[in-house]
Every structure is written in C-alpha cells, then in structure tokens.
Amino acid sequence: MPMENQRSAVNAERDRPWLIRTYAGHSSAAASNALYRQNLAKGQTGLSVAFDLPTQTGYDSDHVLARGEVGKVGVPVGHLGDMMTLFDGIPLDQMNTSMTINAPAAWLLSLYIAVAEKQGTPRASLQGTTQNDIIKEYLSRGTYIFPPAPSLKLITDVAAFTYREVPKWNPMNVCSYHLQEAGATAEQELAYALGTAIAVLDAVRDSGQVPEEDFAKVVGRISFFVNAGIRFVTEICKMRAFCELWDEITRDRYGIEDAKYRRFRYGVQVNSLGLTEQQPENNVYRILIEMLSVVLSKNARARAVQLPAWNEALGLPRPWDQQWSLRLQQIMAYETDLLEYEDLFDGNPAIERKVGTLKDGARAELARLDAMGGAIAAVDAGYMKQELVKSNAMRLADIENGVTKVIGVNAFTETEPSPLTSGEKSIMTVDEMAEQEQIEKLKAWRSDRDQAKVKDALSTLEQAAREGCNIMESSIACAHAGVTTGEWSETLREVFGEYRAPTGITSMIVTGDAENLQTLRTRVDEVSNKLGERMKMLVGKPGLDGHSNGAEQIAVKAGEAGIDVLYDGIRWTPDELVRNAIDEGAHVIGLSILSGSHVPLVREVVNGLRARGAGHIPVVVGGIIPEADMLILRQMGVAAVYTPKDYQLVRVISEIVDLVDRTSSEPPVAQSGNRTSDGVGTAIY
C-alpha cells in the first residue's frame, strides 16, 4: 500500500481541540441549567452563559425598565439562589465557564465564586472568563451602567483579585466581537480592541493593587473575544495581526519578557451581523466559512469557539439548531486532519502582505487614540463611536447599492420555500409567564433572607467603593448574604453615578445613492411644506436592548434626507419616549427593538400615545420580529413593521415620509387599534 494512502490519524500526534461552546441561556435558571446539561451531554466542552438584559444592566426583574425583557435574550440571575440553580449538577471545578457580562461582571463572578464555595470547590480551581469589557459597551452593545473611570476601576478590581485568588480565571475578555457587529473594519477592530486592552493594563499597573513583579501574571490572563466575518482571507490575516501586535505591545510597552505571558489568547463567536433572514439555510455555509478563518492557522488558532445558529436572524434558536452548530465544530475538530499539521500559512507572501497592511492600519489608528489620551478619552469625545457609525453606514450603503453582494439578499434572490422555516415551532419562543414567575421567585427570595445581613453587606460594599478599595471580597459577602443584582448595582450607582454614552450620530453624507437621495430630500421638503414645519421623526429604543446599530443607521439616513431626527440613544421607558415625542412635536415614531420584547414595549408606547390624545402619531417598528408578531403589532395600531430583510434604507425612509404625508392629510380616526399597515419593513437591525 503506498505510504501516501495509509491512514495515520490514529498514530499521529494531534493538537488539543479548542473549547467547543454554544452561547446559551433563556427563560429561567432552571430551564437554562437543563439546556447546559443537555449540551454537555452532546459533547460540548465548555459553557458560555448568556444573561438577560436586566441582569446585564444591573436591574432586578421587577424594575420598570425590565418589563418585557426578563429571560428573553438570556438567563435572569437575580441572586445566589438563581446562580445555584443555573449550575446545579455541574461541578465547577471541572468546568470552563465563559460569562458574557460587563458592567456587573464583578457581581456575577462573586455569585459564581459563592456557588463554588457552596459546592466545596476552592476558588483557585475555577477556570473561565468574565467578559468585563465596558469600553465596547459604550461603542456597540450598550449594557454599560457607570461612567468610564469607575468602570475601569471595577475591571481593575477583578483583575487584581483574580490573579491572586482565582489564578486560572481570565478577568477580562477584550471584546472586539461587537465592534465588527457595529460595522468596524478589520483595522478598527484591531485598534479599538488593543486600545481597550492598553487602557485596562495601564489602569491595573497604575492602581497600586499589583506588585511590579506580578504584573506579567495579570498581562498573561487578559484574553480576547473576537468576531470572524465572511471575508475569509482578511479574517485569517486579522487574527495573525492580532497575535503579532499583542506580542509587540506586551513586550515593548509593558516589558513582558516571558513569551507565555505575551501569548494572544482568544475565543471567538463567528459573525451574526451577516446572517440573513432571506434564505436562512445559507447561513450554515457562512458560519462554517467564518469558523475556518479562526481554526485553520495554527499560530493564530482560537482557544474557544462558539457558533451562532443558522436561524438567529429569525428568532431564538431551538436546541436542535444549537446542536447543528455544535456538530459542525465537532466534525472539524475530530473528523478532519486539521489538528495534525503545523501552521498552513507560514511563509505565504499574500498572507504576509495582508497581515502587514492590517498591522500598519491598526498602528495608525492606535496612534490617533494615543494622541487623544487613550481609549477612555476617545470614548468620552465620541470619536470611536462616530467612526463606527460611519463605517457601518458605508457597509450598508455598499449592500444597498449592490457593491457588496449578499446571496439571497441583493443577489440570486430567486428561491424555493424553505422547509426548515415552516411550521409554528421553527423558532423557539420564551413563555410569557416566565417573567412573572421570575418576579414572584425574586419577591420570595427577598422575604426569606436575613435583612440585617443584607443591610450590613451592602453597607460594607458601599464603604469599599467610596474609599477606593477592591470591592470583590465585599461583593462575595453580598452574594452569600442574599443581596440581589439590582441592590448590588444600585449601591454602586449611588457611589459612581450613571452614564449615557455618545450616540455617534452626525450629519455626514456617506452613501453613493446620490440620485435617489436627492429625490427623497425633495419629497421631504414637499411634505414639510404641507406640514408647515420641518418633518420630525423620533427614533427610540425602549427597554434595555442596547443593540443600537440599526437605530443609528435609520437616524443617519433620515437626517441625510432632511428630516429633523430626535435620537438620544438607548434605554428609555415607553412613557419617556411618549412624552418626548409629544413635547418635541414628532410627526412619526420609529421604535427599534431586537431583544424579542417588541410586543409588550410597543403596546405600552401605543397605549401611552392614546392616553395622552396623541394616537394620531404613526408608529413604525423594526427588529427581529416573527411573522406572527407582525400581525399582533399591526392589530394594536402599528403602521409598519420592518425586519432585517429591509436593507434599502432610502426606500424605507421614503415609505415613512409617505406615511407621514398620508396620516397628516387624513381626518382623525377612532383610537381603536385597527390601523392597517403597508406591510413594509426596515433594517433597524
């Protein structure tokens, strides 16, 4: 038998596979625990916990801003009891757990440590990661709470605590994932993520909490969480550039001599931004190609991979959908011979040229950040946010104009009906009773605990925060005392205050669709003349959904068209949006909601308008909205519903202008909630 045809996989030395994860959590701690145990039984090798928006933003489930959001995009964790239920039957000393949590990261880590102590597991044996990257929250994801300076102090506290007490824990996962989701170019993703890491390490170094001789240990525990998009070769080169730049920064800026502490350690979730509602079965190929870009190059291979499901552009994936993504990873790791070879790209001239170009671009952008005073200063100045909004606007304009081809969206749109999306159970929905049940359990928890211990623990926490001490031990004591997520966060809100990040909305013109845009401007002028004033649109994000990219792009495009736009960022109650629309004289309201909470939040806005005699103001809604929910929204009086398939923003704004023209010309209608819709939609995605 010829040697080249002999099977050698059994005897060949293979690299250890990356950690195989799925990002999961919904409804309740008990339901999520069942899902985790099910996935682990299927061969998943690590956990990646998705928390719901109230938990991510430090609110208890019964807070006014939590209405409609409990358990929708992740698991609600309000106290130690929830955390114990979440990990019931899962030995934490044998698990590597990633927690996607940022502003309250110190608190969720404290709960995790408290659960371990309840299990009899030593702190030092725990392995995992808290994302804990607040800077990208200001730029893209929106689950920040505190201003930048105290937020950086909290990250420093976690890093200084874990390197001593939980040495296998990654205290921060510098997250470039959401930067790409917000439209970042490869150079921006590199520069803004590395700039964030520099800001954190500078803060730790200058805090006095870590002796100089131990600083390398902290550097060695900083990890990254990146995004892999569809531009396959660019993504391979980006990851190699990340590794080389991080080695350079840690060596030259921080003097780290030991190469193991300079290693670029990262996990990845491949791109969700590019998943399409149209022909969603094509997303399977996109996910596979994107995963290849972070596992093929051995010298830049991900340490952990989690993949979205093929139907995440439609709604919440079912366990079967998650299993499909899990099996995709396992086939790559165990059936192929990928892990038997050295790096496949070393010495490739095309790769080396592209890596060099990306590094040069990233260094230039890092120099701009340094000139501003670093990443925190660039956040406060609104620079990075504005640049991301520009990049995303250009990306969307290229899709709208056909410069960028997206199969099934603006190219090869002819299709057969997909059997995968037919039927009532093609996506998973959260039981509407889950929120009320969580609130009832929360109230029972509060009533059953020792209130004196809670008061004392919160007092100690507040004192530590006011005196600038490390808050980790006092937070762990709070966890054991029965303190809730909202109480922990509110205590620190009282000390540090809250923050509202810059929106990044400017009047820049970025699209190449000049002719259609000029026609639209003329139409806006005509309608404004009929109104007797400039047409005004309020773009609002009710509730806790921080995905503002779509709302920002609608605001930018409406502004380009000559509409006066009212957009003040994220996290408003429906009542606040109603009052703002009436006070400012808005002619139309556009609501963007991607958290699955569109029905209850929109209902509150519509009812609020009617209660104040302003039911004549038309409301349009955009987001990831199932067909059945579109009908509900229209029946309650929504004039138009938009989903990710509606990527042509000039057309979307044109339809909204026509809507204002019609409704301003029509006699008032009875407030019956029977307004019909054109059935058109938007890329408020």
Side-chain angles (χ1 to χ4, degrees):
M1 184 179 190
M3 287 294 294
E4 62 269 20
N5 292 328
Q6 291 184 18
R7 293 174 58 87
S8 59
V10 174
N11 300 319
E13 289 188 13
R14 292 174 59 89
D15 292 333
R16 181 185 301 176
W18 53 89
L19 278 171
I20 297 175
R21 290 176 169 145
T22 54
Y23 181 54
H26 66 85
S27 301
S28 68
S32 299
N33 172 262
L35 180 61
Y36 296 162
R37 294 170 73 168
Q38 185 179 39
N39 285 344
L40 290 169
K42 292 176 180 177
Q44 185 173 300
T45 55
L47 292 178
S48 182
V49 181
F51 296 100
D52 74 352
L53 287 174
T55 305
Q56 290 185 52
T57 49
Y59 292 109
D60 283 335
S61 297
D62 57 355
H63 191 278
V64 61
L65 276 168
R67 288 178 189 164
E69 305 280 19
V70 177
K72 286 288 174 61
V73 302
V75 57
V77 174
H79 47 73
L80 181 58
D82 283 341
M83 203 68 154
M84 291 178 67
T85 300
L86 186 63
F87 293 103
D88 182 44
I90 300 174
L92 298 190
D93 58 342
Q94 301 174 30
M95 188 51 52
N96 190 303
T97 303
S98 172
M99 294 191 283
T100 301
I101 195 74
N102 295 283
W107 172 240
L108 271 298
L109 177 57
S110 296
L111 288 172
Y112 191 80
I113 291 170
V115 171
E117 291 174 346
K118 290 283 189 181
Q119 290 185 356
T121 298
R123 296 175 177 181
S125 68
L126 299 178
Q127 299 182 69
T129 305
T130 33
Q131 191 168 100
N132 208 12
D133 178 355
I134 204 64
I135 293 178
K136 61 89 180 172
E137 295 299 318
Y138 301 134
L139 299 176
S140 55
R141 181 60 187 83
T143 63
Y144 54 80
I145 302 174
F146 314 111
S151 294
L152 207 55
K153 168 62 166 60
L154 292 178
I155 297 172
T156 297
D157 284 357
V158 174
F161 171 83
T162 54
Y163 100 89
R164 293 190 310 268
E165 298 288 324
V166 199
K168 298 177 184 178
W169 194 266
N170 301 320
M172 184 195 188
N173 211 239
V174 182
C175 183
S176 74
Y177 174 84
H178 287 103
L179 299 178
Q180 188 177 132
E181 295 288 296
T185 65
E187 290 88 348
Q188 287 172 329
E189 188 179 342
L190 285 163
Y192 295 171
L194 293 170
T196 294
I198 288 169
V200 169
L201 288 177
D202 283 358
V204 173
R205 180 193 59 195
D206 299 341
S207 71
Q209 293 197 57
V210 179
E212 183 178 350
E213 62 271 20
D214 288 345
F215 186 66
K217 296 178 182 178
V218 174
V219 174
R221 295 314 304 180
I222 298 297
S223 61
F224 289 75
F225 186 70
V226 306
N227 197 328
I230 196 64
R231 292 178 59 79
F232 175 68
V233 176
T234 297
E235 293 296 339
I236 290 175
C237 295
K238 181 188 76 180
M239 296 321 307
R240 292 172 72 94
F242 253 135
C243 293
E244 293 175 19
L245 286 168
W246 184 241
D247 185 76
E248 179 182 301
I249 289 168
T250 53
R251 182 189 67 238
D252 298 346
R253 186 182 183 100
Y254 300 112
I256 307 301
E257 297 180 358
D258 191 334
K260 73 178 181 182
Y261 293 132
R262 301 200 307 266
R263 191 177 302 138
F264 185 83
R265 301 160 52 251
Y266 78 98
V268 64
Q269 169 153 323
V270 307
N271 189 281
S272 295
L273 182 67
L275 301 183
T276 64
E277 181 182 7
Q278 302 95 316
Q279 301 179 25
E281 60 277 3
N282 295 341
N283 293 331
V284 175
Y285 311 126
R286 294 184 176 105
I287 291 167
L288 171 60
I289 291 167
E290 290 165 353
M291 184 187 75
L292 285 172
S293 66
V294 295
V295 299
L296 282 182
S297 179
K298 178 176 180 177
N299 293 340
R301 183 171 293 150
R303 295 294 188 89
V305 178
Q306 59 191 45
L307 304 179
W310 67 279
N311 58 351
E312 286 198 18
L314 307 179
L316 188 64
R318 301 158 297 185
W320 184 88
D321 305 314
Q322 289 193 331
Q323 175 182 302
W324 200 358
S325 290
L326 177 63
R327 295 296 184 244
L328 192 155
Q329 287 204 60
Q330 291 168 327
I331 290 168
M332 180 58 61
Y334 298 113
E335 291 192 21
T336 78
D337 58 354
L338 173 67
L339 298 179
E340 298 173 17
Y341 290 91
E342 296 303 307
D343 196 288
L344 305 178
F345 299 97
D346 282 354
N348 183 302
I351 295 291
E352 290 179 355
R353 280 195 303 272
K354 182 64 175 178
V355 170
T357 300
L358 291 175
K359 287 167 65 176
D360 289 344
R363 288 193 191 101
E365 190 63 24
L366 278 168
R368 278 189 280 274
L369 297 184
D370 281 341
M372 294 178 190
I376 292 294
V379 166
D380 272 335
Y383 168 75
M384 286 196 285
K385 181 64 173 178
Q386 182 175 313
E387 291 301 300
L388 289 175
V389 172
K390 281 184 184 179
S391 295
N392 203 23
M394 294 175 70
R395 180 189 69 84
L396 290 171
D398 284 346
I399 295 173
E400 186 171 0
N401 299 331
V403 174
T404 298
K405 303 294 185 189
V406 182
I407 306 307
V409 174
N410 64 359
F412 307 108
T413 56
E414 299 79 8
T415 185
E416 297 295 327
S418 171
L420 294 176
T421 59
S422 61
E424 294 183 2
K425 296 183 179 181
S426 57
I427 59 170
M428 197 165 110
T429 56
V430 173
D431 187 342
E432 292 300 323
M433 289 303 296
E435 179 167 325
Q436 189 55 43
E437 291 172 0
Q438 180 67 17
I439 290 173
E440 289 172 0
K441 287 188 290 185
L442 174 65
K443 291 178 178 177
W445 175 269
R446 289 194 191 118
S447 66
D448 291 343
R449 64 191 180 173
D450 187 325
Q451 303 301 335
K453 287 184 178 179
V454 169
K455 184 178 179 181
D456 288 345
L458 287 173
S459 177
T460 302
L461 172 68
E462 180 180 2
Q463 182 179 355
R466 291 194 184 281
E467 294 177 356
C469 300
N470 191 301
I471 55 92
M472 282 304 299
E473 290 291 3
S474 57
S475 294
I476 295 169
C478 282
H480 281 296
V483 166
T484 68
T485 296
E487 291 166 341
W488 181 90
S489 298
E490 185 58 31
T491 299
L492 296 188
R493 280 182 168 97
E494 290 294 324
V495 177
F496 300 140
E498 293 189 75
Y499 186 70
R500 186 164 289 280
T503 65
I505 301 300
T506 70
S507 59
M508 72 277 187
I509 307 297
V510 296
T511 71
D513 194 10
E515 183 178 344
N516 287 338
L517 191 57
Q518 186 55 54
T519 301
L520 176 56
R521 287 191 192 126
T522 301
R523 177 71 175 133
V524 170
D525 289 342
E526 291 172 355
V527 174
S528 296
N529 289 335
K530 284 186 183 181
L531 295 170
E533 59 182 339
R534 178 56 49 181
M535 178 181 162
K536 190 175 290 185
M537 178 181 183
L538 183 143
V539 178
K541 289 196 63 64
L544 296 176
D545 173 32
H547 286 106
S548 59
N549 304 330
E552 290 156 4
Q553 295 307 314
I554 290 294
V556 167
K557 188 64 67 176
E560 290 177 6
I563 299 171
D564 279 351
V565 178
L566 307 168
Y567 177 66
D568 291 320
I570 63 172
R571 213 176 300 171
W572 298 95
T573 67
D575 186 63
E576 287 171 331
L577 292 175
V578 167
R579 283 191 278 110
N580 194 20
I582 294 172
D583 292 346
E584 297 293 337
H587 300 104
V588 62
I589 298 172
L591 301 177
S592 168
I593 308 167
L594 285 93
S595 64
S597 303
H598 40 270
V599 171
L601 292 174
V602 172
R603 181 180 288 116
E604 286 195 44
V605 171
V606 171
N607 289 344
L609 288 169
R610 290 171 178 160
R612 291 168 173 80
H616 60 281
I617 302 176
V619 176
V620 299
V621 179
I624 301 176
I625 301 173
E627 195 72 39
D629 287 354
M630 291 183 192
L631 178 60
I632 295 171
L633 294 175
R634 290 165 183 156
Q635 287 175 337
M636 71 174 63
V638 169
V641 179
Y642 294 98
T643 70
K645 70 178 182 298
D646 302 295
Y647 65 93
Q648 294 173 316
L649 299 191
V650 170
R651 179 179 65 82
V652 167
I653 300 300
S654 297
E655 291 166 348
I656 292 173
V657 173
D658 290 343
L659 172 64
V660 171
D661 189 20
R662 281 199 313 275
T663 55
S664 65
S665 304
E666 294 171 354
V669 296
Q671 302 300 307
S672 62
N674 293 322
R675 187 191 304 272
T676 59
S677 165
D678 298 311
V680 293
T682 137
I684 300 192
Y685 174 47

